[in-house]
Amino acid sequence: MKKLLLAAALSALATGAAWADTVRLGTEGAYPPYNFINDKGEVDGFERELGDEICKRAALDCTWVTNEWDSIIPNLVSSNYDAIIAGMSVTAERDEVIDFTNEYIPPSPSGYVGLAGGSVDVAKGIIAAQINTIQAGHVASSGATLVEFASPDETVAAVKNGEADAVLADKDFLAPIVAESGGMLAFIADDVSIGGGVALGLRESDGELKAKMNTAIDAMKADGTLNTMLVKWFKDAAPQW
Amino acid sequence: MLQVLFQGLHRNTAILDQLLTDTTGPAETPVIELRNIHKSYGDLEVIKGVDLTAHKGDVIALIGSSGSGKSTLLRCVNLLETAQQGDIVISGEPVSWSHETANRSPKDADQVRRFRTNLSMVFQQFNLWSHLSVLQNVTEAPVTVLGRDRADAEAFGRALLEKVGIADKADMYPSQLSGGQQQRAAIARALAMEPSAMLFDEPTSALDPETEAEVVTVIRELAAEGRTMLLVTHDMKMAREVANHVIFLHQGVIEEQGTPDQVFKQTKSTRLQQFLSSTQ
Amino acid sequence: MFEICAEPRSLEGLTWLSCYLTTPKHAAMYYSILTVLGLLLAVVPPILFLGFAGALARRSKIAPVRWLGVGYTSIVRGVPDIVFFLFFPIALDQAVEYIRHKIKCADVLEPVYQGNDFVVCQAAKMPLGIADQFYHEAWGFSLAVITFAIVFGAFTANTLHGALNAVPKGQLETARAFGMSERQTFWRVHMPQMWVYALPGLSNLWMILIKATPLLFLLGVKDIVYWAKELGGMKTQVYTYAHPDWRIWYFGALLVFYLFLTWVSQRAFDRIFARASRGLSVAS
């Protein structure tokens, strides 16, 4: 009887998209402390720890792959990996193409960073943002001049070398950079709240995987694991559930 | 002329027969026989019914102004150009055509290749293969087309280069040679095929007067050896010296032909007179 | 890597630098040099094959073959490289998986295309989802080789087509006049003489190919430019080896690497050209 059930479950799984054995998690690997490639050459960061924990709780065997941000959604849709876990904010626009799990980071503010001591009108100046991000969308509609870059690192570099007046990005990403800039950079305007929280992106046809991951995320919220993890990686500014 | 002379003497008929043979042509098969050749490019008819017969040992010079069709006729003989009408017979074997219409073409590729190996061509612009040394130029076709042994072909090739006086250039590339040397190499290349006839297409026209003489000397020697040759040329002096038969082509037809003496000294047609005076 | 590197944050100066430069992440960059060189070597045979196929197709007496040749070279050359590199590998990947799906999972009733999603059964995945990461990278590398070959094959076809046309007609006519068959004419005269006209164009294409290798990243293969960018970027304390924006040093090293590669290539091409143009007056 047990065997029969197992066989039925397996065949059900086999016809669906999610194979119980391996789930490939796609991330950018260039957005510390969310996700980055550490000096050992491995994916590291908040999302690495989170992803591994989710997989453990959902009894999934997970492997990590990196993909550049710009093509991260198309490669999910064409099944090169099974989930995006890359600091991706939930937006209505993205939700039309892919599906999202429950959020694992609550809506958190974005911040403008410019050279310390400068006076920049963020509504009119030249603002750097990463391509295809909610921040890029915000800058485009704010009246400022948007310059887009492929990687988060380049947006900050653009401010340092004067190419842009300021950069708009997740505050959690910018905070350590400002702190370690030796006074060169500073938050120069009020924070803005754009978009929803951060969640894993899944293919719309992958309902089963979504259910499993949601269960794991909800459990982590309930027992406080997620909050502990957030504090570990985002320090004082850590958003909490 | 000889005929008249010897008929009058009534001497040894064997000698008489032999001498008659030399002037009137033997009963043996001609090397090249063209009958009623027509060739046009679109609406422009450049050859309008030409007959030509070359027996073994004949040196036939084709003369005429530019556009008279003499080079085209030569190219029709080894099938680089397709004559739309008329028969081409090489050593008794007629070219077989795909069909007898205006856009006919040679039917048998093997026959075409066989004829071409038998009718070596010397071009106005030499056309030595530029990526091969002089000796390689001479041995290339004997080895790849005729299947000769390479060592034999090289020995023969060196002998031929010696014969045309450029043995020391054997390992040079064509671009390192003067025009006259290149043309002599091209003649050696043609000889290496041991053809039954040689076709010369304006062999001296691209040469300056000094080097021209080298080439004329070689051609004169070949003629003296009794080689069968068709010689398209602008050089009336050479035509007179080496040919035993001269054909004057005008606008695609044979206007006048005969021995060099008949053509050059007892010229009949006014067109030929005009042509000859214009070339002097 | 070394004993002394166990506590990077306590290191200074040259020791720190030597430990830093030997991290596994740097090793990945050094390894990616081999990836780039491997790609360059792997793509040459298929590029030349497609180049010759395209050039000969364009010369064909059979009209449909000729159209195929012209179509191939014109379409590929007309599409911007980056579009081609974004579109083609995904299309090829999906085509392969689609065919495997139809063969291996014929009993699966759900459609492969579900809205935006392209979903094939697990057994049809290329490579299989459970396969080692190495196979995923090898598959990406293979897709890259095919894509590079198709793109550069079209340009090569054009160069070779032009070079074949550039050989003086008299040279070929002479070969025929001496009784060579079409095949002999092509191999004994046309091909050997063609190279000298093709080589300048081919050497240009080779240089462009070298410079195009960073497009590998679009295909999911991490090349040396990706690693230089990744390693050179500013590193906060979250990394073991924190440092400011060092991209200028990394890109400087890249510059040296690519200059060296092109310099070696140029010397090689000069030699080949000298050999191919032996005896040809165009050489002087």
Side-chain angles (χ1 to χ4, degrees), chain A residues 22-174:
Chain A
T22 311
V23 173
R24 287 162 59 78
L25 301 177
T27 190
E28 185 190 11
Y31 202 51
Y34 291 78
N35 58 76
F36 59 97
I37 310 287
N38 67 18
D39 291 291
K40 292 197 186 95
E42 298 158 346
V43 175
D44 202 345
F46 165 70
E47 283 167 333
R48 170 74 203 241
E49 200 176 335
L50 172 76
D52 285 348
E53 182 66 21
I54 291 174
C55 291
K56 202 174 106 191
R57 291 185 186 226
L60 301 167
D61 182 10
C62 294
T63 58
W64 289 86
V65 286
T66 52
N67 195 95
E68 63 168 341
W69 177 257
D70 204 19
S71 62
I72 207 161
I73 289 181
N75 276 314
L76 171 73
V77 167
S78 62
S79 297
N80 286 345
Y81 35 81
D82 306 304
I84 296 171
I85 173 163
M88 184 177 274
S89 302
V90 179
T91 65
E93 203 182 5
R94 288 173 182 152
D95 212 3
E96 280 176 17
V97 184
I98 57 174
D99 214 348
F100 284 103
T101 61
N102 293 344
E103 295 169 2
Y104 55 80
I105 303 177
S108 61
S110 299
Y112 286 98
V113 164
L115 294 176
S119 61
V120 174
D121 182 353
V122 294
K124 284 186 184 143
I126 299 166
I127 310 296
Q130 190 182 8
I131 196 163
N132 286 347
T133 57
I134 51 171
Q135 287 86 7
H138 178 80
V139 174
S141 59
S142 72
T145 306
L146 171 67
V147 281
E148 289 182 303
F149 293 92
S151 69
D153 191 48
E154 288 165 303
T155 60
V156 178
V159 175
K160 285 185 177 170
N161 64 29
E163 202 179 331
D165 297 328
V167 49
L168 179 62
D170 284 318
K171 208 174 173 189
D172 302 325
F173 163 73
L174 292 171

Side-chain angles (χ1 to χ4, degrees), chain C residues 8-29:
Chain C
R9 285 173 215 273
S10 64
L11 300 173
E12 281 182 354
L14 276 180
T15 330
W16 183 91
L17 191 66
S18 60
C19 285
Y20 170 69
L21 289 176
T22 51
T23 57
K25 200 173 177 182
H26 275 84
M29 179 175 81

Side-chain angles (χ1 to χ4, degrees), chain C residues 103-166:
Chain C
I103 295 168
K104 300 199 174 214
C105 308
D107 51 331
V108 175
L109 297 174
E110 287 163 30
V112 170
Y113 288 95
Q114 302 173 24
N116 290 312
D117 298 357
F118 174 80
V119 183
V120 296
C121 68
Q122 287 293 323
K125 291 268 193 187
M126 257 321 264
L128 293 173
I130 49 169
D132 192 77
Q133 181 62 19
F134 171 79
Y135 292 102
H136 286 275
E137 279 170 22
W139 173 241
F141 186 83
S142 309
L143 286 178
V145 168
I146 295 169
T147 311
F148 271 95
I150 288 176
V151 171
F152 281 85
F155 285 95
T156 304
N158 209 44
T159 301
L160 294 179
H161 181 247
L164 286 170
N165 282 346

Side-chain angles (χ1 to χ4, degrees), chain C residues 53-59 63-75 154 157:
Chain C
L56 294 179
R58 281 178 64 172
R59 296 174 64 84
V65 176
R66 201 162 56 239
W67 297 333
L68 201 68
V70 172
Y72 165 54
T73 51
S74 315
I75 291 170

Side-chain angles (χ1 to χ4, degrees), chain C residues 234-281:
Chain C
M234 184 193 63
K235 295 287 173 281
T236 57
Q237 289 297 331
V238 85
Y239 292 87
T240 325
Y241 296 86
H243 61 74
D245 189 342
W246 279 357
R247 284 183 303 175
I248 187 155
W249 301 109
Y250 282 87
F251 285 162
L254 271 192
L255 185 76
V256 171
F257 170 71
Y258 278 105
L259 278 179
F260 177 73
L261 214 52
T262 47
W263 178 76
V264 168
S265 305
Q266 191 58 56
R267 288 196 40 127
F269 266 106
D270 286 347
R271 285 187 167 215
I272 299 170
F273 188 78
R275 202 185 140 70
S277 60
R278 253 191 337 200
L280 294 186
S281 46

